[in-house]
Amino acid sequence: MQFDDDADLDTSEVQDVRGSRIPGGRATVGVGIIALFLGLLFGVGPDQLGLSSGGPDTSPTASTAAQVEQTCRTGRDANTRDDCRIVAVVNSVQDYWKQEFQRRRGTYTPARTVLFSDRIGTACGSATSAVGPFYCPGDRQVYLDLGFFDELRTKFGSSGGPFAQAYVVAHEYGHHVQDLMGTLGRSQDGRTGANSNSVRVELQADCYAGVWAHHATTTPDESTGRPLVTSLTQADIREGLDAAAAVGDDRIQEKFQGRVTPESWTHGSAAQRRQWFTTGFRSGDMADCNTFR
């Protein structure tokens, strides 16, 4: 995966609060990263997400480092640094969805990604890094500790790589698209299982990630008129598929509890996650991402 070296990155779409502290020091519920995929839903209430109850004292302070603003200036930076790569992926994903919503005569409202370390305050409550990446509909922001990508590789067996990271980010923005379209709420009926709305919402977000990937190298960047993503190979797509499969409910259950229990699934099987990413990637049409049929 390569970016246009000369493209300017829009760091306003990413807030870097790594190293900052939450005022008041409110404790969080430590659920562990495994619990994220076994029983938690992205972008729902604090109790379900492993977050403490939110409040006015849980907003993040400004980062003393603000590294992305200082170091992530161009596509060349995105080709060499993980944090700058996230900025570039966020820019590309939002460029695509803005143009797609316009094409459909709708309005896309941008969502910011917040890079944090250890723990963070959100409109959905206070979260630790153990929760993993998530989208909070309360403030319409994506939250990400970059340490998750090491966990994805070392604990969950993903091969890793730049596009594995891009897949995770694009999946979270899939939830933002669902939020804007009114479908995200279907996951909040409290049900689990292979045919639950929770699983269907997650698989649709995988499909939306594939749709973006289909268009990534042809979506023009607003500042240059050229695509920000200049190269996306089959090897890159395999990285994304491998990451999607690694966080399938069946893979994680078999690895960590020694048996597969489909009645408790919240995200879908490895095969389903690969299938729906592939569906979006092959067609490039979000209309093909109706997992609720």
Side-chain angles (χ1 to χ4, degrees), residues 134-147:
F134 64 96
Y135 170 77
C136 174
D139 53 28
R140 287 186 166 172
Q141 295 191 131
V142 173
Y143 291 89
L144 173 63
D145 185 326
L146 294 178

PDB file of all heavy atoms in Angstrom, residues 134-147:
ATOM      1  N   PHE A 134     -12.657   1.386  18.399  1.00  0.00           N
ATOM      2  CA  PHE A 134     -14.116   1.434  18.418  1.00  0.00           C
ATOM      3  C   PHE A 134     -14.613   2.768  17.893  1.00  0.00           C
ATOM      4  O   PHE A 134     -13.893   3.758  17.857  1.00  0.00           O
ATOM      5  CB  PHE A 134     -14.673   1.176  19.827  1.00  0.00           C
ATOM      6  CG  PHE A 134     -14.293   2.213  20.858  1.00  0.00           C
ATOM      7  CD1 PHE A 134     -15.147   3.273  21.156  1.00  0.00           C
ATOM      8  CD2 PHE A 134     -13.086   2.120  21.549  1.00  0.00           C
ATOM      9  CE1 PHE A 134     -14.799   4.225  22.112  1.00  0.00           C
ATOM     10  CE2 PHE A 134     -12.739   3.062  22.510  1.00  0.00           C
ATOM     11  CZ  PHE A 134     -13.603   4.119  22.793  1.00  0.00           C
ATOM     12  N   TYR A 135     -15.855   2.755  17.471  1.00  0.00           N
ATOM     13  CA  TYR A 135     -16.553   3.959  17.033  1.00  0.00           C
ATOM     14  C   TYR A 135     -17.613   4.293  18.076  1.00  0.00           C
ATOM     15  O   TYR A 135     -18.357   3.423  18.509  1.00  0.00           O
ATOM     16  CB  TYR A 135     -17.223   3.733  15.676  1.00  0.00           C
ATOM     17  CG  TYR A 135     -18.155   4.845  15.259  1.00  0.00           C
ATOM     18  CD1 TYR A 135     -17.661   6.045  14.762  1.00  0.00           C
ATOM     19  CD2 TYR A 135     -19.540   4.708  15.363  1.00  0.00           C
ATOM     20  CE1 TYR A 135     -18.503   7.073  14.377  1.00  0.00           C
ATOM     21  CE2 TYR A 135     -20.399   5.732  14.978  1.00  0.00           C
ATOM     22  CZ  TYR A 135     -19.874   6.911  14.491  1.00  0.00           C
ATOM     23  OH  TYR A 135     -20.718   7.923  14.115  1.00  0.00           O
ATOM     24  N   CYS A 136     -17.664   5.550  18.483  1.00  0.00           N
ATOM     25  CA  CYS A 136     -18.655   5.995  19.461  1.00  0.00           C
ATOM     26  C   CYS A 136     -19.678   6.879  18.761  1.00  0.00           C
ATOM     27  O   CYS A 136     -19.329   7.978  18.303  1.00  0.00           O
ATOM     28  CB  CYS A 136     -17.972   6.766  20.594  1.00  0.00           C
ATOM     29  SG  CYS A 136     -19.140   7.503  21.768  1.00  0.00           S
ATOM     30  N   PRO A 137     -20.930   6.445  18.659  1.00  0.00           N
ATOM     31  CA  PRO A 137     -21.938   7.270  17.991  1.00  0.00           C
ATOM     32  C   PRO A 137     -22.307   8.516  18.783  1.00  0.00           C
ATOM     33  O   PRO A 137     -22.824   9.474  18.207  1.00  0.00           O
ATOM     34  CB  PRO A 137     -23.134   6.324  17.858  1.00  0.00           C
ATOM     35  CG  PRO A 137     -22.956   5.327  18.955  1.00  0.00           C
ATOM     36  CD  PRO A 137     -21.471   5.145  19.108  1.00  0.00           C
ATOM     37  N   GLY A 138     -22.028   8.511  20.091  1.00  0.00           N
ATOM     38  CA  GLY A 138     -22.368   9.670  20.912  1.00  0.00           C
ATOM     39  C   GLY A 138     -21.615  10.921  20.503  1.00  0.00           C
ATOM     40  O   GLY A 138     -22.149  12.035  20.575  1.00  0.00           O
ATOM     41  N   ASP A 139     -20.357  10.776  20.092  1.00  0.00           N
ATOM     42  CA  ASP A 139     -19.586  11.929  19.623  1.00  0.00           C
ATOM     43  C   ASP A 139     -19.130  11.778  18.179  1.00  0.00           C
ATOM     44  O   ASP A 139     -18.419  12.628  17.649  1.00  0.00           O
ATOM     45  CB  ASP A 139     -18.376  12.191  20.524  1.00  0.00           C
ATOM     46  CG  ASP A 139     -17.501  10.956  20.717  1.00  0.00           C
ATOM     47  OD1 ASP A 139     -17.477  10.089  19.813  1.00  0.00           O
ATOM     48  OD2 ASP A 139     -16.835  10.850  21.765  1.00  0.00           O
ATOM     49  N   ARG A 140     -19.539  10.653  17.561  1.00  0.00           N
ATOM     50  CA  ARG A 140     -19.205  10.379  16.162  1.00  0.00           C
ATOM     51  C   ARG A 140     -17.699  10.487  15.920  1.00  0.00           C
ATOM     52  O   ARG A 140     -17.245  11.195  15.032  1.00  0.00           O
ATOM     53  CB  ARG A 140     -19.990  11.297  15.227  1.00  0.00           C
ATOM     54  CG  ARG A 140     -21.461  10.914  15.140  1.00  0.00           C
ATOM     55  CD  ARG A 140     -22.238  11.706  14.121  1.00  0.00           C
ATOM     56  NE  ARG A 140     -23.533  11.075  13.872  1.00  0.00           N
ATOM     57  CZ  ARG A 140     -24.488  11.624  13.134  1.00  0.00           C
ATOM     58  NH1 ARG A 140     -24.302  12.795  12.565  1.00  0.00           N
ATOM     59  NH2 ARG A 140     -25.640  10.983  12.959  1.00  0.00           N
ATOM     60  N   GLN A 141     -16.955   9.739  16.737  1.00  0.00           N
ATOM     61  CA  GLN A 141     -15.515   9.683  16.585  1.00  0.00           C
ATOM     62  C   GLN A 141     -15.037   8.234  16.666  1.00  0.00           C
ATOM     63  O   GLN A 141     -15.650   7.397  17.330  1.00  0.00           O
ATOM     64  CB  GLN A 141     -14.814  10.517  17.658  1.00  0.00           C
ATOM     65  CG  GLN A 141     -15.108  12.002  17.552  1.00  0.00           C
ATOM     66  CD  GLN A 141     -14.208  12.843  18.434  1.00  0.00           C
ATOM     67  OE1 GLN A 141     -13.628  13.822  17.985  1.00  0.00           O
ATOM     68  NE2 GLN A 141     -14.106  12.504  19.700  1.00  0.00           N
ATOM     69  N   VAL A 142     -13.928   7.966  15.985  1.00  0.00           N
ATOM     70  CA  VAL A 142     -13.262   6.670  16.031  1.00  0.00           C
ATOM     71  C   VAL A 142     -12.115   6.782  17.015  1.00  0.00           C
ATOM     72  O   VAL A 142     -11.379   7.778  17.008  1.00  0.00           O
ATOM     73  CB  VAL A 142     -12.734   6.274  14.635  1.00  0.00           C
ATOM     74  CG1 VAL A 142     -11.880   5.008  14.725  1.00  0.00           C
ATOM     75  CG2 VAL A 142     -13.891   6.070  13.667  1.00  0.00           C
ATOM     76  N   TYR A 143     -11.938   5.767  17.863  1.00  0.00           N
ATOM     77  CA  TYR A 143     -10.881   5.783  18.872  1.00  0.00           C
ATOM     78  C   TYR A 143      -9.931   4.619  18.618  1.00  0.00           C
ATOM     79  O   TYR A 143     -10.361   3.487  18.396  1.00  0.00           O
ATOM     80  CB  TYR A 143     -11.493   5.683  20.271  1.00  0.00           C
ATOM     81  CG  TYR A 143     -12.261   6.928  20.647  1.00  0.00           C
ATOM     82  CD1 TYR A 143     -13.615   7.059  20.329  1.00  0.00           C
ATOM     83  CD2 TYR A 143     -11.631   7.999  21.285  1.00  0.00           C
ATOM     84  CE1 TYR A 143     -14.322   8.209  20.644  1.00  0.00           C
ATOM     85  CE2 TYR A 143     -12.329   9.147  21.603  1.00  0.00           C
ATOM     86  CZ  TYR A 143     -13.670   9.254  21.276  1.00  0.00           C
ATOM     87  OH  TYR A 143     -14.348  10.401  21.589  1.00  0.00           O
ATOM     88  N   LEU A 144      -8.634   4.918  18.666  1.00  0.00           N
ATOM     89  CA  LEU A 144      -7.641   3.918  18.288  1.00  0.00           C
ATOM     90  C   LEU A 144      -6.349   4.104  19.067  1.00  0.00           C
ATOM     91  O   LEU A 144      -5.774   5.195  19.074  1.00  0.00           O
ATOM     92  CB  LEU A 144      -7.355   4.035  16.789  1.00  0.00           C
ATOM     93  CG  LEU A 144      -6.216   3.196  16.207  1.00  0.00           C
ATOM     94  CD1 LEU A 144      -6.509   1.708  16.347  1.00  0.00           C
ATOM     95  CD2 LEU A 144      -5.994   3.563  14.740  1.00  0.00           C
ATOM     96  N   ASP A 145      -5.909   3.039  19.739  1.00  0.00           N
ATOM     97  CA  ASP A 145      -4.569   2.967  20.311  1.00  0.00           C
ATOM     98  C   ASP A 145      -3.740   2.159  19.320  1.00  0.00           C
ATOM     99  O   ASP A 145      -4.064   1.005  19.029  1.00  0.00           O
ATOM    100  CB  ASP A 145      -4.614   2.287  21.677  1.00  0.00           C
ATOM    101  CG  ASP A 145      -3.256   2.295  22.385  1.00  0.00           C
ATOM    102  OD1 ASP A 145      -2.219   2.198  21.687  1.00  0.00           O
ATOM    103  OD2 ASP A 145      -3.226   2.379  23.621  1.00  0.00           O
ATOM    104  N   LEU A 146      -2.665   2.755  18.809  1.00  0.00           N
ATOM    105  CA  LEU A 146      -1.874   2.088  17.788  1.00  0.00           C
ATOM    106  C   LEU A 146      -1.274   0.773  18.266  1.00  0.00           C
ATOM    107  O   LEU A 146      -0.909  -0.082  17.451  1.00  0.00           O
ATOM    108  CB  LEU A 146      -0.756   3.011  17.288  1.00  0.00           C
ATOM    109  CG  LEU A 146      -1.214   4.264  16.527  1.00  0.00           C
ATOM    110  CD1 LEU A 146      -0.011   5.112  16.128  1.00  0.00           C
ATOM    111  CD2 LEU A 146      -2.022   3.890  15.301  1.00  0.00           C
ATOM    112  N   GLY A 147      -1.191   0.583  19.587  1.00  0.00           N
ATOM    113  CA  GLY A 147      -0.694  -0.676  20.122  1.00  0.00           C
ATOM    114  C   GLY A 147      -1.569  -1.857  19.748  1.00  0.00           C
ATOM    115  O   GLY A 147      -1.122  -3.009  19.801  1.00  0.00           O
TER     116      GLY A 147
END
